[in-house]
Amino acid sequence: MTQVSRPPRSESGGLAARVSLGRRFTPVSTEFLLIASTALLLTLFGLVMVLSATSATAVASGADPMGGVLRQGMFALLGVPLMFLISRVPVAFLKKMAWPALFGAVALQLLVFTPLGIEDGGNRNWIDIGFQLQPSEFLKLALALWIAAVLLRKQAMLGTWHHVFIPVIPVGALAIGTVLAGKDLGTAMVLVLILLGCLFFSGVKLRLFIIPVVIGIVAVLAYALSSQDRMRRITATCDNMALYESDCYQSIHGIWGMASGGIFGLGLGNSQEKYGWLPAAGNDFIFAIVGEELGLIGCIVVLALFTFFTVGAFHVIRKTPDPFIRVAAGGITVWIVGQAVLNIGVVIGLFPVMGVPLPFMSQGGTALFAVLIACGVLLAFARTIPVVEKPSVARGRVTR
């Protein structure tokens, strides 16, 4: 019997295939899973609450009760895949895009002062390009990336004040000024938080960090004091029912909604405040609807999700050796978490009403889209964190 010899096995080919598959199916880090899962859960939670908060007033006005959530869902369907697509972008590319992103975001923001601009509630912070868009939401991410790229180049010179402040403070003030010119104090405060957060995580000396903090506080106070109407609303004490019909109407109804929910809530869809009593029930005061319909338990779930998101983001900041990632991730985290704190603080009466949406959950397609893009950047950063593999036990021996 004739034996046919097999061709020799190519060790290099098999090894290359194994390496290729190994790289493709490499497990992601815990930080990646925390950020991605909490972002998805908060977005889904937000869609449910937007449907509940907006359907009542839509029915009363004869509009489509699903219109609000369908518009929000469209931005979610665009944003979630884009979030995971951006998570595959190399960090080097994000560094190169920092300057173009800032110039593009500022140029887009300046369009609010053209005929495309829309004024609503005294704020001129939207443009109409076939649909409404809020450019300042993209400015938040662009500012964080730009500051990180600038400070990366000056990493060895951050002990000198002029290297820390120039060009970060002048350019940052210019970007924030374009938002203040539209009279949007809430968004401007978030941008100030991003700038300060980036400086903090860059590792500048404390004495140098205090100066921009003081400058930021003075600037906000000066802007508030420049308008008697603005100052009246900021200093209004909402335990005084004499102000019920004026400056404290939203705050009082927000607190009433939270209080009436109790521990377990009135049930999903059973809010009373959303029937025309609470303005912006689906936007800035959606957390009040969560408290009224889902009670204390629903509020704790939202706070827990934001806590897990914060833990994942801070682990990225702590573990990365790249200064760019540390500064940019710090700015993005301060933006999302700080904005959530401001929004919830307004709802429970700690802060005056300032028109800051709750990230992931408030109605507003641009805000949701921008936050999901920012999460994609965080996920790209999280992919650079090495995964710690546990030792496996095979045939009674521990292999490493």
Side-chain angles (χ1 to χ4, degrees), residues 50-381:
V50 166
L51 174 62
S52 177
T54 59
S55 58
T57 53
V59 170
S61 62
D64 182 7
M66 298 291 292
V69 71
L70 287 178
R71 287 190 296 271
Q72 189 80 350
M74 179 185 68
F75 282 97
L77 287 176
L78 292 173
V80 170
L82 186 59
M83 176 181 74
F84 288 108
L85 181 64
I86 293 175
S87 73
R88 292 283 183 176
V89 173
V91 174
F93 179 78
L94 294 174
K95 294 177 183 179
K96 293 178 182 178
M97 289 300 297
W99 282 88
L102 182 67
F103 287 139
V106 172
L108 196 63
Q109 175 63 26
L110 291 176
L111 291 179
V112 303
F113 306 109
T114 69
L116 295 175
I118 299 174
E119 186 170 342
D120 184 21
N123 293 346
R124 193 174 181 87
N125 205 21
W126 293 265
I127 58 175
D128 187 355
I129 53 174
F131 59 93
Q132 287 194 14
L133 188 73
Q134 189 173 2
S136 58
E137 293 296 329
F138 300 111
L139 186 57
K140 297 172 183 176
L141 175 60
L143 185 64
L145 291 176
W146 177 81
I147 295 175
V150 170
L151 294 182
L152 174 65
R153 293 175 177 269
K154 299 190 173 190
Q155 191 65 30
M157 299 176 285
L158 294 182
T160 308
W161 72 269
H162 60 274
H163 284 295
V164 174
F165 294 166
I166 299 174
V168 170
I169 299 300
V171 175
L174 177 63
I176 297 170
T178 61
V179 177
L180 282 177
K183 300 181 180 179
D184 190 351
L185 180 60
T187 301
M189 290 181 63
V190 175
L191 289 169
V192 170
L193 286 178
I194 293 172
L195 191 152
L196 295 177
C198 289
L199 288 176
F200 176 80
F201 287 107
S202 68
V204 300
K205 294 181 179 179
L206 182 60
R207 60 183 175 84
L208 297 178
F209 178 72
I210 291 176
I211 298 175
V213 170
V214 173
I215 293 174
I217 294 174
V218 170
V220 170
L221 288 176
Y223 184 76
L225 292 171
S226 64
S227 170
Q228 186 177 358
D229 177 69
R230 190 180 298 117
M231 197 63 192
R232 188 192 73 249
R233 288 186 284 111
I234 292 175
T235 58
T237 55
C238 293
D239 56 349
N240 183 3
M241 290 302 293
L243 300 175
Y244 169 71
E245 292 290 348
S246 56
D247 298 325
C248 293
Y249 183 84
Q250 281 183 299
S251 297
I252 290 174
H253 277 282
I255 293 173
W256 284 354
M258 295 284 292
S260 62
I263 296 178
F264 300 102
L266 303 178
L268 189 63
N270 293 330
S271 167
Q272 300 301 310
E273 291 292 337
K274 67 185 180 183
Y275 287 94
W277 294 104
L278 180 61
N283 301 324
D284 303 339
F285 279 82
I286 198 167
F287 191 72
I289 305 301
V290 173
E292 186 179 9
E293 294 188 350
L294 303 179
L296 178 63
I297 293 177
C299 294
I300 290 176
V301 169
V302 173
L303 294 175
L305 288 174
F306 275 109
T307 301
F308 290 137
F309 177 88
T310 307
V311 170
F314 270 104
H315 275 201
V316 172
I317 297 170
R318 183 176 62 86
K319 292 182 179 181
T320 182
D322 190 334
F324 173 81
I325 293 178
R326 183 169 58 251
V327 175
I332 294 171
T333 306
V334 168
W335 157 23
I336 296 175
V337 178
Q339 189 168 307
V341 170
L342 288 175
N343 177 274
I344 295 172
V346 167
V347 172
I348 63 178
L350 291 179
F351 306 128
V353 178
M354 58 184 71
V356 174
L358 183 61
F360 300 106
M361 296 189 64
S362 288
Q363 185 184 18
T366 309
L368 176 61
F369 192 66
V371 166
L372 289 174
I373 292 176
C375 285
V377 173
L378 283 179
L379 293 178
F381 294 160

